[in-house]
Amino acid sequence: INLTGDTHPIHLHLDPFQIVTRRPIRYEIPDGGIRERELAATVTLERGPDDELDHRIDDNERGLKDTIRVNPNEIVEIAVRFTTYSGRYMYHCHILEHEDRDMMRPFVTMPAALMPFMA
């Protein structure tokens, strides 16, 4: 999800993925909604009044990828099969200045057999 005015090339480590959907969003950030390490926003799945971007999946984006662009005011859903290993993965923006300023996030995968224990 991109709540900025920049396009971000987002890279997912270790396993390739496919784009499922690319959709426009509108969002509102309340007063005091941006802090040092937190952001509160209300996101709606609809095109904003000033959004002139085409949010369709391009032909060159079909198939397996390891990096995808996320345009301003957009949410992109991906499907990935984690086969390399279970554990900590990472995704980040490939713009070095963004990556250096914490536009990098971890997430954890686990075998399906362990999922009932996490609920």
Side-chain angles (χ1 to χ4, degrees):
I1 187 167
N2 186 350
L3 305 181
T4 74
D6 298 325
T7 295
H8 298 282
I10 300 297
H11 172 67
L12 179 69
H13 281 214
L14 299 177
D15 286 305
F17 59 86
Q18 276 188 293
I19 301 172
V20 176
T21 62
R22 177 189 296 284
R23 296 187 282 177
I25 60 169
R26 285 182 340 123
Y27 64 91
E28 291 182 41
I29 298 174
D31 290 340
I34 299 175
R35 296 191 196 105
E36 181 73 22
R37 299 237 180 233
E38 295 178 34
L39 169 70
T42 302
V43 176
T44 308
L45 292 173
E46 62 184 24
R47 184 179 296 276
D50 299 331
D51 184 0
E52 297 178 4
L53 291 176
D54 182 2
H55 295 279
R56 289 182 297 181
I57 299 170
D58 292 340
D59 287 342
N60 68 337
E61 295 179 308
R62 301 193 184 279
L64 295 176
K65 301 292 178 188
D66 70 353
T67 304
I68 188 63
R69 80 174 193 282
V70 183
N71 296 315
N73 306 311
E74 186 171 82
I75 186 170
V76 178
E77 278 183 71
I78 63 172
V80 59
R81 181 173 290 145
F82 297 102
T83 58
T84 306
Y85 75 95
S86 296
R88 293 177 62 91
Y89 280 76
M90 174 189 312
Y91 68 96
H92 62 87
C93 182
H94 254 212
I95 298 172
L96 186 58
E97 292 82 6
H98 294 181
E99 184 180 334
D100 287 348
R101 293 188 176 169
D102 287 339
M103 197 168 188
M104 177 183 302
R105 292 288 173 249
F107 61 98
V108 177
T109 64
M110 64 186 70
L114 292 179
M115 293 301 287
F117 299 105
M118 299 305 294

